[in-house]
Amino acid sequence: DAKTTQPPSMDCAEGRAANLPCNHSTISGNEYVYWYRQIHSQGPQYIIHGLKNNETNEMASLIITEDRKSSTLILPHATLRDTAVYYCIVRVPRNSGYSTLTFGKGTMLLVSP
Amino acid sequence: EAGVAQSPRYKIIEKRQSVAFWCNPISGHATLYWYQQILGQGPKLLIQFQNNGVVDDSQLPKDRFSAERLKGVDSTLKIQPAKLEDSAVYLCASSSGVPNEQYFGPGTRLTVT
């Protein structure tokens, strides 16, 4: 199963772009990269996912390198409400036929004024 | 649309007692998940249901944990007897079948003393 490596913590100034890196050097060709975040005392929240191409939605952008061994989640204008733990997850196929999400420890992003 | 509902939000019990958690997924979501999140770690999948059938329970400690999803809607997770190491937040999530976007409830924080 592909594993992910993320820095344990990052800081960002409010209004600036937050760039959260993730390494997944053992990802296989049919595995997707997902990003979730978890604000304190809440359940995780889906942000975005991608396979090969860069993706953008109303919350964030996902940049995946050409060799797919790493990716970056970009929050273009971070706000205080973006302070959370961000999880980079590679979807793991299971024998049951359904893919599940395996969470690591994630990156604690602290956005400050 | 209403989100995933969980109750209770908090529970304190003594070791060797039993406890049950309840989850009501988003209407129409066929897939339901229970996760355990120990302080400082990411959520760990305990069990996954597709309608009222178990898809994956490989990480469920079956000697003390049980879960059911009668009628393919609500679900109950039970621990009997509880141990100190069961202290954690228990998260319920649901998805509409394609497991790329899971919606999480607020969780139940269990403290075993």
Side-chain angles (χ1 to χ4, degrees):
Chain A
D1 298 340
K3 305 287 186 192
T4 62
T5 303
Q6 298 179 255
S9 63
M10 294 185 65
D11 295 325
C12 180
E14 188 177 21
R16 305 296 294 267
N19 297 283
L20 293 94
C22 180
N23 286 318
H24 31 79
S25 59
T26 60
I27 192 171
S28 61
N30 61 348
E31 290 180 310
Y32 287 68
V33 180
Y34 296 85
W35 285 84
Y36 280 72
R37 74 179 183 183
Q38 188 171 22
I39 296 170
H40 183 63
S41 296
Q42 297 183 20
Q45 175 191 24
Y46 166 82
I47 301 174
I48 198 168
H49 76 283
L51 180 62
K52 295 181 180 180
N53 300 321
N54 297 337
E55 302 288 344
T56 295
N57 63 19
E58 65 279 4
M59 291 182 66
S61 294
L62 173 60
I63 308 297
I64 302 175
T65 58
E66 191 169 344
D67 62 8
R68 302 211 322 125
K69 293 184 177 182
S70 65
S71 60
T72 301
L73 179 74
I74 300 173
L75 307 178
H77 306 285
T79 70
L80 300 179
R81 288 189 298 271
D82 292 322
T83 292
V85 178
Y86 287 77
Y87 297 100
C88 169
I89 302 164
V90 173
R91 190 169 73 174
V92 179
R94 293 290 180 103
N95 291 335
S96 62
Y98 291 87
S99 297
T100 58
L101 301 174
T102 301
F103 291 82
K105 293 188 176 182
T107 296
M108 176 64 216
L109 175 68
L110 177 61
V111 181
S112 53
Chain B
E1 96 190 329
V4 176
Q6 291 188 247
S7 68
R9 291 296 313 276
Y10 305 92
K11 189 73 176 180
I12 301 174
I13 62 173
E14 295 181 352
K15 59 183 179 183
R16 291 187 290 274
Q17 286 186 326
S18 62
V19 64
F21 313 126
W22 173 83
C23 173
N24 179 240
I26 292 174
S27 178
H29 280 193
T31 310
L32 185 146
Y33 314 78
W34 282 102
Y35 290 84
Q36 179 193 58
Q37 185 172 24
I38 294 173
L39 186 64
Q41 299 182 17
K44 182 184 81 171
L45 180 70
L46 292 176
I47 189 167
Q48 176 182 345
F49 293 93
Q50 179 71 13
N51 296 310
N52 61 351
V54 175
V55 172
D56 186 347
D57 63 357
S58 57
Q59 299 191 84
L60 186 73
K62 299 180 185 64
D63 58 334
R64 297 184 301 104
F65 286 64
S66 65
E68 60 182 9
R69 190 183 184 198
L70 300 177
K71 300 180 181 178
V73 181
D74 293 3
S75 178
T76 302
L77 177 69
K78 297 179 181 178
I79 307 174
Q80 181 178 10
K83 293 184 176 181
L84 296 177
E85 57 261 36
D86 298 331
S87 294
V89 175
Y90 290 86
L91 294 160
C92 179
S94 69
S95 66
S96 60
V98 178
N100 61 345
E101 184 173 349
Q102 295 182 22
Y103 295 86
F104 284 80
T108 296
R109 181 175 298 278
L110 173 67
T111 301
V112 182
T113 63

